[in-house]
Amino acid sequence: MTESENILAADDIKKVFHSKQGPLHAVDGVSLSIKKGNTLGLVGESGCGKSTLGRVLIRLIEATSGSASFDGVDLFSLSDSEMKKMRKKMQIVFQDPFSSLNPRLSVADLIAEPLIVNRICASSADMTGRVFRLMDTVGLARRLYRSFPHELDGGRRQRIGIARALALDPEFIVLDEPVSALDVCIQAQILNLLADLKRNSRYTYLFISHNMSVVRHVSDRIAVMYLGKIVEIAGYDVIFTAPAHPYTKALLSAIPIPKPGARGKRIVLEGDVPSPVNLPSGCGFSPRCFCKSEVCSRIPPSLTEFEPGHSVACHFAKKEGGEYLNGADRT
Ligand SMILES: Nc1ncnc2c1ncn2[C@@H]1O[C@H](COP(=O)(O)OP(=O)(O)OP(=O)(O)O)[C@@H](O)[C@H]1O
Ligand SMILES: [Mg+2]
């Protein structure tokens, strides 16, 4: 993979929030890259910093330090007006399709809003045509044009959120838990829609989820995040068949699988995630790790290439094959 194929590259991103308890290290030194047309799945438990990282990468919130480039352009040095132009290429779909949509606007108004704000349309007929085409693209029936969000189910509401993200013809989309608030069968419909859109238009996605089974279906590569850091990153097949970080192994061992006896032993993590206000001195995972040693509480492991395309942050990274899921087929 050459540098030039990466549409997005981030280096040592940190985001510190100021909380009552003190500085809260939500993102603590993340470096990653995403190839054009690929999907990077970002997984980890609640509060590990996934949404903060996604928002920093498209500058919805400002990073405390670090750098990021999009299509070779240094994102963090852009002025507000330059960033406004750049943001057309970088969009986000939020988790909750109800609270993220203004309940007073109709489907047509909601989808037209980004077109109006960015003065994209030459006439009202042009706008109506674009809104209808976006509705077709995301599978919303045209008869719903004048409906309001509360009249629609969660799946249709999320389709509106996706249409709004597509309205400005973006290249990169942060999907922040786009199906977590939906029923399981509607989740599958939205995942299929996102996959079709990517196939047809070569969008690049950062797909955020706390659910390993969901990212498995959509990702080319998967980054596992813990306490503000990426602890393992590799192709989806490597993550699912030969994970090397104990935390990834624990997450995988918790996935429900339909075949009784097909799974290895379930790894139950003891204790809670440490507070991002008082970070442990060594490895952030060591207080809960089932294979820690004395060195782990003293020296934080850096994210190091374990084999080509597979990096792990663990002093005792160990590859184990085929134990957690039988086969990596995405059926
Ligand atoms: N605006 C903010 N001010 C202060 N703290 C914040 C803010 N936004 C997020 N945090 C804190 O930063 C940490 C990371 O939060 P973030 O929302 O990024 O996690 P997440 O991995 O997306 O979690 P979830 O799976 O629950 O969405 C959490 O401890 C959270 O409480
Ligand atoms: Mg989140």
Side-chain angles (χ1 to χ4, degrees):
M1 185 170 83
T2 65
E3 286 290 311
S4 61
E5 288 172 309
N6 292 330
I7 191 164
L8 186 108
D11 187 37
D12 201 17
I13 303 271
K14 294 188 181 174
K15 177 67 189 178
V16 180
F17 290 113
H18 297 286
S19 70
K20 280 186 191 153
Q21 293 76 31
L24 186 154
H25 302 267
V27 177
D28 194 29
V30 166
S31 301
L32 55 81
S33 57
I34 312 180
K35 273 170 83 175
K36 196 172 173 67
N38 272 14
T39 298
L40 177 69
L42 184 63
V43 280
E45 282 164 288
S46 181
C48 71
K50 305 179 295 296
S51 298
T52 304
L53 177 61
R55 284 161 205 222
V56 162
L57 289 177
I58 58 171
R59 274 190 65 184
L60 278 186
I61 52 177
E62 299 293 331
T64 306
S65 63
S67 63
S69 66
F70 182 79
D71 236 350
V73 175
D74 179 358
L75 273 182
F76 295 173
S77 68
L78 294 181
S79 65
D80 288 351
S81 62
E82 289 167 331
M83 192 58 218
K84 197 175 167 206
K85 279 188 210 140
M86 182 61 95
R87 183 141 316 108
K88 291 182 194 166
K89 298 184 186 176
M90 313 177 88
Q91 293 290 312
I92 185 164
V93 174
F94 296 99
Q95 168 175 357
D96 185 344
F98 203 63
S99 63
S100 61
L101 299 175
N102 182 340
R104 282 189 287 272
L105 297 184
S106 67
V107 171
D109 293 337
L110 285 164
I111 298 177
E113 194 174 48
L115 299 170
I116 295 167
V117 170
N118 289 279
R119 301 193 181 146
I120 301 290
C121 302
S123 63
S124 65
D126 179 24
M127 184 152 71
T128 309
R130 282 174 189 261
V131 170
F132 275 142
R133 283 196 294 282
L134 282 162
M135 291 179 74
D136 296 344
T137 305
V138 300
L140 273 174
R142 290 187 177 199
R143 67 182 154 75
L144 301 174
Y145 189 75
R146 287 280 158 227
S147 304
F148 287 86
H150 70 269
E151 297 170 319
L152 305 175
D153 62 32
R156 288 197 178 92
R157 290 200 291 261
Q158 194 55 299
R159 285 174 199 269
I160 301 172
I162 295 169
R164 281 165 61 85
L166 299 184
L168 302 176
D169 201 16
E171 294 174 33
F172 173 61
I173 306 176
V174 174
L175 299 159
D176 191 356
E177 307 261 12
V179 297
S180 305
L182 307 177
D183 293 344
V184 173
C185 66
I186 296 182
Q187 282 190 8
Q189 293 169 10
I190 297 294
L191 289 175
N192 287 339
L193 168 66
L194 292 169
D196 288 345
L197 292 171
K198 188 181 123 179
R199 222 177 348 264
N200 297 336
S201 305
R202 253 179 89 68
Y203 295 123
T204 305
Y205 291 150
L206 176 67
F207 192 108
I208 296 173
S209 178
H210 61 274
N211 185 336
M212 272 284 197
S213 334
V214 169
V215 287
R216 174 173 183 241
H217 286 278
V218 294
S219 307
D220 297 290
R221 286 173 65 70
I222 293 176
V224 180
M225 206 167 167
Y226 190 83
L227 210 55
K229 289 185 159 64
I230 289 183
V231 297
E232 182 159 18
I233 181 165
Y236 89 89
D237 48 348
V238 171
I239 290 286
F240 274 88
T241 57
H245 195 286
Y247 180 59
T248 315
K249 293 176 188 181
L251 287 182
L252 288 171
S253 82
I255 296 179
I257 49 174
K259 269 193 246 166
R263 165 210 301 294
K265 194 163 167 271
R266 167 103 191 245
I267 301 166
V268 179
L269 291 178
E270 306 282 335
D272 293 325
V273 182
S275 159
V277 177
N278 299 307
L279 292 175
S281 52
C283 169
F285 185 59
S286 65
R288 300 169 84 195
C289 186
F290 50 91
C291 57
K292 65 176 171 239
S293 177
E294 180 270 332
V295 66
C296 305
S297 54
R298 283 190 298 112
I299 301 173
S302 52
L303 189 66
T304 312
E305 190 155 83
F306 181 70
E307 58 184 341
H310 182 184
S311 297
V312 190
C314 175
H315 294 302
F316 300 98
K318 184 163 159 280
K319 193 164 165 169
E320 291 171 42
E323 195 177 329
Y324 298 93
L325 281 181
N326 281 355
D329 295 342
R330 286 188 279 192
T331 47

